Amino acid sequence: MTSPALSYPEGSAAFPHESLVGIGGLAPHEILFLLDEAEQWVELNRHPQKHDDRLTGLTIINAFFENSTRTLLSFEIAGKRLGADVVNMHVAQSSIKKGETLIDTAMTLNAMHADAIVIRHGSSGAVQLIADKVDCPVLNAGDGQHEHPTQALLDALTIRHALRNKTGGSFNGLTVTLCGDILHSRVARSNILCLTSLGAHVRICAPPALIPADIEAMQAEVFHDFDAALDGADVVMMLRLQLERMQGQFIPSAREYRHLFGLTAERLARARPDALVMHPGPMNRGVEIDSDVADLADRSHITRQVEMGVAIRMACLDVLTRKVRRVEGWT
Ligand code: NCD
């Protein structure tokens, strides 16, 4: 499924960026280009033989300085399905533990002639820092509280797939409610940028202490009452409380938080009858989302998000390495 109304500039002008550091800075047509590129990989991944050899001979390094299940595995699977040699740097056993700086680590990866580096780091801005130093494309797999662009892209692809009969693939006029720890969430930031850029209306909902100070600059409508935020929503995206990023007490207790901001079956009834339930994972069942909602066969798209994640990462790796591979017209 492509976006029929849209035609892209020729060759590399369709996606003129060297790296993928954030959704901020991407034009709507560049976002749609990546979504459209991912469609072929959604198809391929549903076949028993899931191999394409276009990245054969390329070396991709995954350098994850923070824990990850879905993002790390899907980048690894994506690279391997495209034929690349994928190497995962094990941070716990790396020289980072011996005091090496991030820049020195980046220069080391660069000297090994990596063709793409995928980075997850706890500091906002760390990925841009590395992208400025190395010669190859850098893909942000989450930097601090800043951005997680491939998550936002896979979320957009999931929404487009699930609602294509209703919307024809357009995001215009869709109401997407994001609820949870918006303040500490790079997923929320990238999703707000991505969905508003594509024409959706984004509502965010959290206790006042978990709303970022710069939210006014983003085109999201702020709610503190979850019932009101859910009213008529087409998509409900729940986010975990990022306790590891909290310094101090942001919520009185998990029990009270669930009472006010947890997605229960009763609450979900306030959204549209066919509203999609999404969560980037990892979920804290019984806190931000109840199990009976997370596991709703027809409404929950949480495992579909994981499926779309592999396709999106294949698209991003393919598009960003076209220059290195000297694909015709891609200058
Ligand atoms: C998210 C992350 O790491 O930012 N997870 C993910 O990539 N699927 C969200 C989270 O950790 O809560």
Side-chain angles (χ1 to χ4, degrees):
M1 183 187 60
T2 53
S3 311
L6 207 85
S7 61
Y8 310 110
E10 290 286 305
S12 65
F15 195 83
H17 310 276
E18 300 283 335
S19 290
L20 180 64
V21 177
I23 298 292
L26 298 188
H29 77 263
E30 293 164 1
I31 297 173
L32 286 169
F33 175 69
L34 293 176
L35 300 190
D36 290 349
E37 285 285 320
E39 295 293 351
Q40 62 190 303
W41 307 123
V42 175
E43 284 301 310
L44 182 84
N45 290 338
R46 289 177 178 173
H47 285 95
Q49 296 292 334
K50 307 168 190 52
H51 207 74
D52 184 281
D53 59 6
R54 67 185 62 192
L55 300 197
T56 300
L58 266 55
T59 303
I60 298 173
I61 301 181
N62 290 327
F64 279 54
F65 297 84
E66 276 191 342
N67 296 344
S68 175
T69 302
R70 280 152 284 266
T71 309
L72 175 59
L73 264 180
S74 64
F75 264 115
E76 184 172 358
I77 291 171
K80 286 183 171 163
R81 286 202 181 149
L82 293 175
D85 296 317
V86 182
V87 183
N88 294 332
M89 190 181 116
H90 298 286
V91 173
Q93 291 131 39
S94 72
S95 291
I96 299 283
K97 298 282 168 199
K98 300 181 189 169
E100 186 170 71
T101 66
L102 184 61
I103 300 287
D104 285 336
T105 304
M107 294 320 289
T108 302
L109 304 183
N110 198 46
M112 290 176 183
H113 296 290
D115 297 294
I117 302 177
V118 182
I119 300 174
R120 167 168 287 194
H121 199 278
S123 301
S124 307
V127 177
Q128 182 65 60
L129 199 71
I130 292 177
D132 292 340
K133 293 277 172 198
V134 300
D135 301 318
C136 66
V138 171
L139 293 93
N140 184 359
D143 65 327
Q145 298 168 213
H146 174 232
E147 280 231 41
H148 191 349
T150 57
Q151 179 70 42
L153 292 168
L154 76 87
D155 288 336
L157 190 63
T158 304
I159 295 171
R160 193 167 81 165
H161 265 250
L163 298 181
R164 72 179 130 194
N165 291 337
K166 184 164 136 183
T167 62
S170 165
F171 290 82
N172 281 332
L174 282 181
T175 298
V176 183
T177 300
L178 270 83
C179 180
D181 182 358
I182 310 290
L183 176 66
H184 299 104
S185 177
R186 53 201 177 201
V187 174
R189 181 172 289 272
S190 289
N191 259 302
I192 296 169
L193 292 168
C194 183
L195 292 165
T196 55
S197 165
L198 295 178
H201 176 68
V202 178
R203 296 174 180 167
I204 59 161
C205 180
L210 293 177
I211 298 279
D214 64 346
I215 196 68
E216 298 301 327
M218 305 175 94
Q219 291 160 26
E221 194 183 352
V222 179
F223 290 76
H224 304 301
D225 174 349
F226 194 19
D227 288 334
L230 284 171
D231 190 26
D234 298 284
V235 180
V236 185
M237 207 181 280
M238 301 306 297
L239 300 167
R240 176 178 73 89
L241 287 168
Q242 307 226 337
L243 298 173
E244 74 278 19
R245 295 190 207 287
M246 292 184 191
Q247 278 153 4
Q249 188 89 3
F250 279 78
I251 54 156
S253 70
R255 201 157 150 247
E256 189 170 337
Y257 181 83
R258 178 191 174 271
H259 178 64
L260 294 172
F261 298 100
L263 188 62
T264 59
E266 193 188 3
R267 270 225 170 89
L268 182 61
R270 297 189 174 264
R272 283 186 176 272
D274 57 352
L276 313 181
V277 174
M278 297 174 67
H279 194 307
M283 279 187 276
N284 288 149
R285 290 171 180 262
V287 183
E288 76 273 10
I289 189 164
D290 277 9
S291 273
D292 55 352
V293 179
D295 299 333
L296 276 175
D298 52 337
R299 305 277 297 277
S300 172
H301 290 259
I302 297 170
T303 51
R304 193 45 64 83
Q305 287 171 269
V306 179
E307 180 193 5
M308 295 298 153
V310 178
I312 277 292
R313 285 157 186 145
M314 289 169 84
C316 292
L317 289 171
D318 172 27
V319 168
L320 286 169
T321 57
R322 282 183 190 172
K323 271 189 203 160
V324 191
R325 291 184 286 125
R326 298 191 176 83
V327 174
E328 210 180 324
W330 201 264
T331 50

